[in-house]
Amino acid sequence: MKVKEISIDEEMKNSYMDYAMSVIVSRALPDVRDGLKPVHRRILYAMHELGLHPGKPYKKSARIVGEVMGKYHPHGDQAIYNTLARMAQDFSMRYPLVDGQGNFGSIDGDSPAAMRYTEARLAKIAEEMLVDIDMDTVDFVPNFDGTLKEPVVLPSRVPNLLINGSSGIAVGMATNMPPHNLGEIVDALVHLIDNPDATVSELMEFVQGPDFPTGGVVIGYEGLVDAYTTGRGKIKIRAKYRIERDKIIIHEIPYEVNKSNLLKKIAALVRDDKLKGIADMKDESDREGIRIVIKVKRDANPEIVVNQLLEHTDLEVTYGIINLVLVDGVPRVMTLRGLMKEYLRHRMDVLVRRTQYRLKKARERKHIIEGLVKALSIIDEVIAAIKSSATVQEANTKLMEMGFTELQSKAILEMRLQKLTSMEMNALIEENKKLGEEIRDLESLLSDETRRYEVIKSELLEIKKKYADDRRTEILKGEIRSRSVEELIPNDKTVVILTRKGYIRRLSMGEYRPQGRGGKGVIINYGEGDLPQDTVVANLHDHLLFFTRNGRVYWLKAYEIPEGTRRSRGRAIVNFLPKLGSEVIRVLAVSKFEGYLFFVTKKGVVKRTLLSDFSKPRSTGIRAIIFDEDDELVDVKITNGDEDIFLFTRYGQAIRFSEDDVRVMGRTARGVRGIKLRDGDEVISAAVLGEGKYVFPVLSSGYGKRTPVREYRRIKRGGMGVRNIITRGAYVVKSLIVNDHDEALLMTKEGMSIRIRLSDVSVHSRNARGVRLIKMNPGDEVVDVAVLRD
């Protein structure tokens, strides 16, 4: 046996491509012609073969599933049943294709009853998709085991793809097409037939937009224009509601939103105090429709509550439209005009094949009728030839020798004696005449494209007359101002705490009550083994800039940080900044991107950059500073351009120099030397003189002081500076510039926290250790300090 060597890379590539194309063509994407995936098409065809037409008795769903699985779709029975059930759901399909009897699921997400309990038959509109399928209008291919034939596509007199939409995920691609109103689609198709060069804009005069089975309101007309002109676009679907005094009554919800999950989400948000102003909620939905009643608290504004509901729940959802379909077996993203053109092309092909089939049958019948008429005109000779024949084959041969064809001879031999009457003779002559007229009409139809389009148009208008209904979804074409979250959130002050393990939360200022110097403070939970990394006081509308140790910066809004309590740990910051690639060392609150950012590294390198260079957020962050591999970013400050800058070291040194000593540089510059460090020392923080009139250094031992800034004379950058504080075996946690009326927030390794008035902290010289700021347990130490100011 000869062994063929192949590359495993090549084999994996080819196998994966085969699998991908199989998923794309045979499972996930709809055909542009009938809008169906193979499983939908096989279910409808199997039901057609079972004779489950409208008006006929229902059959058990299990019987249908068995027929589909055994003959056409060799996959799981539950997958087939779920597809069958969805085609029967009036909240999933704008025009259901299956007429179901029994429990086929609900908008609350309830599963259909077992297939042995439910029954089904074709819906009337589904029968229109199968009309003429027996007239050679579509191609048939062998089924999975080659014992039967199944259609490649259905004739689809109904524009199913456009009226019912489709969704599916293939390999590396997906489709998500919304349903539309049948009447509007037919009107647009008729206009396109009459005006082949019609633009998408013209077609949109007929097609207002999607028409979802659950109604709702579509917002974002520009997204619709994008979807119809390019094949891709985004819209928002909003619930329909009305306000009655202190009640919000929701009577339509967005498409594909699970009502039960929606109610649970609202209840959870109310419980977590993220939705304020709601006193009670009831689901009064019944078979008449959806009715969710939300009672608003007496002191709440219903409009604000509605805005919060739309902001935080699925009462408003984004729907991404992707018109990806199979065109001649190839996936393509189509415009509205393209989809309609392909459907009309399919209907033209069906009409041509149907006409050719009918023409063929008419010619065959006319040929036989002509033989019968001829035979009757010489009936005595025909009878004599038949009587003199010993066998049927001999009689057939004699008739063919008399000028009849084999088909005519067979028809003559099968002719009943009643045909010999003059009445029957006249009937044959009349039928022959009508067949001639029919053949000429069919030949004319095949040669006249304009007339064929008229036939397609009349069929579409007939479909519209039989099945069109009123639009359910409202389309808002006017410009809708996007609701700003800031409009819903008061711009209160908040404390944002980031821990060294990357957990972040914000606390209300009410969590901290001012205490006198030396107090015990209140407990702040950081999680076992965790410590605070940075604490910043901000307004909820501020931008928070997150600077990482490796010199990158990321953005969040302060209100995007979840509010916690002193006992909660918060959430991992990677939940909000998933592209974060390094530890965050500093958080800055920015209300306006004006002024400068002043960067300081551990080795004393400084750099000044325009704050406006950081005004355009990116999810992946941007580079803020470049430095040597053994260096890292330790502090960032906001300056106004003419400040005095202070740098503070771990072991008690400080330097003061003018901001003008550092020229403005780009984001990717390296910077210049700010302070000359002694061996083993490093910069731990920076400060700006404009922030106050005292230097406030805090030691890990809990001691600190205030020293007037005048004791720190200004020198040129790059010097060694002067003494800042006597450390006595401790180290400087942070040094800040403060005022008398400021307050400070100190946090310890064991989770203790104290808020003190800085006016209670004694003023000492640079060569002093200061006073005790917080009483700590043995082994505990201060790990972070933040200043609180109005």
Side-chain angles (χ1 to χ4, degrees):
M1 180 179 178
K2 186 177 180 180
V3 178
K4 180 181 177 181
E5 292 188 3
I6 58 174
S7 166
I8 189 169
D9 291 344
E10 194 66 26
E11 178 62 23
M12 289 292 288
K13 178 181 176 182
N14 293 335
S15 297
Y16 185 76
M17 287 301 297
D18 291 342
Y19 163 75
M21 288 307 298
S22 174
V23 171
I24 291 168
V25 176
S26 304
R27 190 189 311 172
L29 300 184
D31 193 293
V32 71
R33 296 169 289 182
D34 61 5
L36 298 174
K37 302 175 188 178
V39 64
H40 300 89
R41 189 178 299 115
R42 288 163 177 167
I43 289 172
L44 295 180
Y45 182 67
M47 294 176 75
H48 170 74
E49 290 291 285
L50 285 171
L52 297 180
H53 301 291
K56 294 296 181 68
Y58 294 91
K59 264 193 171 59
K60 286 288 186 184
S61 298
R63 172 74 175 86
I64 300 168
V65 170
E67 185 83 2
V68 175
M69 184 169 61
K71 289 185 175 181
Y72 308 114
H73 199 70
H75 298 279
D77 57 347
Q78 197 58 46
I80 297 171
Y81 180 54
N82 287 340
T83 303
L84 172 71
R86 190 178 188 279
M87 288 196 290
Q89 294 171 348
D90 59 3
F91 54 88
S92 294
M93 303 283 285
R94 181 62 179 84
Y95 299 91
L97 301 176
V98 170
D99 178 8
Q101 184 169 266
N103 174 17
F104 280 91
S106 74
I107 200 169
D108 285 315
D110 300 316
S111 300
M115 66 181 82
R116 62 183 179 275
Y117 297 123
T118 61
E119 299 177 331
R121 65 186 178 190
L122 288 171
K124 287 184 179 180
I125 198 169
E127 194 173 41
E128 302 287 353
M129 298 188 64
L130 292 151
V131 168
D132 302 331
I133 196 170
D134 300 323
M135 290 190 178
D136 192 33
T137 51
V138 294
D139 292 333
F140 279 72
V141 293
N143 68 339
F144 63 90
D145 60 2
T147 58
L148 297 168
K149 296 280 190 178
E150 63 174 303
V152 174
V153 67
L154 299 186
S156 190
R157 187 173 288 187
V158 179
N160 178 63
L161 179 63
L162 289 160
I163 66 171
N164 270 326
S166 184
S167 63
I169 300 174
V171 179
M173 58 185 68
T175 186
N176 200 35
M177 300 181 63
H180 291 83
N181 183 270
L182 174 60
E184 294 179 7
I185 292 297
V186 169
D187 288 342
L189 287 168
V190 168
H191 180 77
L192 190 58
I193 290 173
D194 294 336
N195 303 274
D197 296 326
T199 63
V200 171
S201 297
E202 292 176 31
L203 296 176
M204 288 184 69
E205 293 179 8
F206 300 93
V207 182
Q208 296 182 42
D211 191 20
F212 297 104
T214 53
V217 180
V218 167
I219 300 171
Y221 196 66
E222 289 184 1
L224 275 182
V225 174
D226 289 341
Y228 291 151
T229 54
T230 69
R232 295 177 184 269
K234 285 185 179 180
I235 58 174
K236 287 185 181 294
I237 314 173
R238 179 182 292 180
K240 280 186 181 177
Y241 63 89
R242 65 179 182 273
I243 296 174
E244 296 180 358
R245 293 186 180 180
D246 62 342
K247 292 179 181 178
I248 302 167
I249 300 175
I250 300 163
H251 50 91
E252 289 180 8
I253 61 176
Y255 183 52
E256 294 183 333
V257 168
N258 183 306
K259 177 164 66 68
S260 178
N261 290 344
L262 171 66
L263 297 177
K264 290 177 183 177
K265 174 71 171 178
I266 294 174
L269 290 171
V270 172
R271 186 173 57 250
D272 296 340
D273 205 30
K274 293 180 180 178
L275 275 180
K276 303 180 185 297
I278 294 179
D280 191 20
M281 178 176 63
K282 291 181 181 178
D283 183 8
E284 299 179 359
S285 306
D286 54 24
R287 62 180 57 193
E288 298 298 322
I290 289 173
R291 180 181 167 89
I292 302 169
V293 180
I294 297 175
K295 188 174 182 181
V296 179
K297 290 180 180 178
R298 185 178 302 174
D299 58 345
N301 184 334
E303 293 288 351
I304 294 178
V305 174
V306 166
N307 283 343
Q308 291 179 347
L309 286 167
L310 295 174
E311 181 72 27
H312 298 294
T313 73
D314 283 345
L315 286 178
E316 182 174 289
V317 298
T318 299
Y319 188 95
I321 299 174
I322 309 173
N323 294 334
L324 180 69
V325 291
L326 291 175
V327 182
D328 298 327
V330 179
R332 286 178 55 191
V333 176
M334 304 287 288
T335 66
L336 176 65
R337 184 177 184 276
L339 292 170
M340 290 186 171
K341 279 286 188 183
E342 288 297 327
Y343 173 71
L344 292 176
R345 182 166 72 97
H346 172 56
R347 286 303 299 164
M348 178 62 77
D349 184 50
V350 168
L351 177 57
V352 168
R353 293 180 63 161
R354 183 182 71 191
T355 305
Q356 289 172 340
Y357 177 85
R358 290 175 58 192
L359 180 60
K360 176 185 174 184
K361 292 297 182 183
R363 284 172 173 168
E364 289 175 355
R365 178 63 179 166
K366 189 173 190 302
H367 178 66
I368 291 171
I369 294 298
E370 287 174 344
L372 293 176
V373 171
K374 178 182 176 182
L376 290 174
S377 66
I378 53 171
I379 189 63
D380 294 336
E381 296 176 30
V382 169
I383 291 174
I386 294 173
K387 288 179 66 177
S388 64
S389 301
T391 64
V392 174
Q393 184 60 40
E394 184 181 344
N396 187 58
T397 302
K398 288 182 178 181
L399 289 174
M400 292 177 64
E401 289 174 352
M402 295 172 66
F404 295 101
T405 66
E406 186 173 356
L407 282 175
Q408 290 173 331
S409 299
K410 184 178 179 181
I412 291 168
L413 291 172
E414 293 174 352
M415 182 177 63
R416 294 183 179 184
L417 290 176
Q418 67 184 27
K419 295 289 184 183
L420 299 178
T421 66
S422 60
M423 185 177 294
E424 287 293 330
M425 179 68 172
N426 292 334
L428 288 173
I429 293 173
E430 184 64 25
E431 182 181 357
N432 188 45
K433 179 181 177 182
K434 288 182 178 179
L435 284 171
E437 293 174 354
E438 181 183 352
I439 289 171
R440 287 190 293 274
D441 182 65
L442 293 173
E443 288 174 339
S444 171
L445 184 61
L446 283 175
S447 63
D448 190 344
E449 185 181 75
T450 302
R451 190 175 161 212
R452 291 200 302 273
Y453 273 120
E454 288 298 321
V455 173
I456 294 172
K457 187 198 299 186
S458 65
E459 290 177 350
L460 285 170
L461 291 173
E462 182 184 349
I463 291 293
K464 176 185 175 182
K465 183 178 179 181
K466 290 169 68 175
Y467 303 106
D469 55 6
D470 294 334
R471 162 171 283 279
R472 300 180 188 176
T473 301
E474 181 182 352
I475 308 295
L476 294 183
K477 294 186 177 181
E479 183 179 353
I480 304 299
R481 187 176 66 87
S482 59
R483 292 175 293 104
S484 171
V485 178
E486 280 86 346
E487 294 175 357
L488 307 176
I489 298 174
N491 196 21
D492 296 336
K493 280 196 177 297
T494 187
V495 178
V496 178
I497 300 175
L498 175 69
T499 72
R500 292 183 182 176
K501 288 188 176 180
Y503 285 86
I504 192 168
R505 63 191 144 156
R506 60 180 171 88
L507 302 181
S508 164
M509 294 297 292
E511 292 282 349
Y512 302 94
R513 51 184 176 84
Q515 296 183 21
R517 176 181 63 82
K520 188 72 174 176
V522 294
I523 191 73
I524 297 288
N525 176 46
Y526 301 117
E528 187 176 351
D530 204 357
L531 296 171
Q533 175 65 44
D534 198 14
T535 306
V536 62
V537 178
N539 292 319
L540 287 175
H541 294 184
D542 287 351
H543 280 91
L544 297 181
L545 272 58
F546 296 83
F547 296 90
T548 62
R549 200 173 293 282
N550 66 354
R552 294 185 72 81
V553 60
Y554 301 79
W555 292 260
L556 278 179
K557 278 283 195 174
Y559 57 72
E560 292 180 302
I561 308 299
E563 186 173 3
T565 65
R566 289 186 286 110
R567 300 287 180 180
S568 63
R569 188 181 186 186
R571 293 182 62 189
I573 193 170
V574 292
N575 289 325
F576 311 100
L577 299 173
K579 305 292 185 180
L580 203 61
S582 180
E583 177 190 4
V584 175
I585 56 93
R586 187 66 66 239
V587 183
L588 291 182
V590 178
S591 56
K592 295 181 180 179
F593 286 87
E594 299 173 354
Y596 303 87
L597 283 180
F598 199 90
F599 297 88
V600 182
T601 75
K602 182 173 67 174
K603 286 190 168 184
V605 175
V606 296
K607 188 186 82 165
R608 186 161 61 117
T609 305
L610 287 169
L611 184 54
S612 57
D613 288 352
F614 299 85
S615 61
K616 296 180 180 179
R618 295 183 195 169
S619 60
T620 55
I622 59 174
R623 171 68 65 184
I625 185 173
I626 293 177
F627 39 71
D628 296 335
E629 287 186 6
D630 57 346
D631 202 358
E632 61 188 41
L633 189 64
V634 295
D635 208 349
V636 187
K637 290 293 179 184
I638 298 175
T639 65
N640 61 22
D642 58 357
E643 302 279 8
D644 275 10
I645 304 297
F646 286 75
L647 304 185
F648 304 103
T649 75
R650 183 178 182 85
Y651 295 117
Q653 288 294 109
I655 188 173
R656 172 183 176 182
F657 57 86
S658 172
E659 181 181 355
D660 287 336
D661 287 355
V662 182
R663 63 180 177 83
V664 178
M665 308 175 194
R667 287 192 296 105
T668 55
R670 287 182 175 272
V672 295
R673 177 183 288 182
I675 186 173
K676 187 175 182 180
L677 298 170
R678 292 187 173 91
D679 290 343
D681 203 0
E682 61 186 40
V683 175
I684 51 107
S685 66
V688 178
L689 179 58
E691 296 173 347
K693 59 183 181 179
Y694 297 99
V695 174
F696 176 53
V698 179
L699 296 175
S700 58
S701 58
Y703 280 79
K705 62 177 180 175
R706 286 187 297 153
T707 302
V709 294
R710 63 176 179 271
E711 293 194 19
Y712 299 80
R713 62 185 179 86
R714 181 197 293 175
I715 63 174
K716 289 291 184 182
R717 67 167 178 84
M720 296 191 69
V722 296
R723 185 181 300 281
N724 179 29
I725 190 172
I726 299 294
T727 56
R728 291 189 183 176
Y731 60 88
V732 182
V733 175
K734 193 180 285 186
S735 289
L736 304 166
I737 302 291
V738 298
N739 286 305
D740 287 320
H741 55 271
D742 291 339
E743 295 177 343
L745 185 66
L746 279 68
M747 286 157 283
T748 76
K749 182 169 63 175
E750 293 183 357
M752 297 303 296
S753 175
I754 188 171
R755 176 179 173 182
I756 61 173
R757 302 179 187 89
L758 287 175
S759 59
D760 293 343
V761 179
S762 302
V763 176
H764 292 269
S765 67
R766 291 189 293 103
N767 292 307
R769 183 175 66 157
V771 295
R772 185 187 298 275
L773 303 177
I774 183 171
K775 187 185 298 183
M776 298 183 293
N777 296 324
D780 197 6
E781 60 182 33
V782 176
V783 290
D784 198 18
V785 184
V787 64
L788 309 179
R789 55 169 55 104
D790 293 330

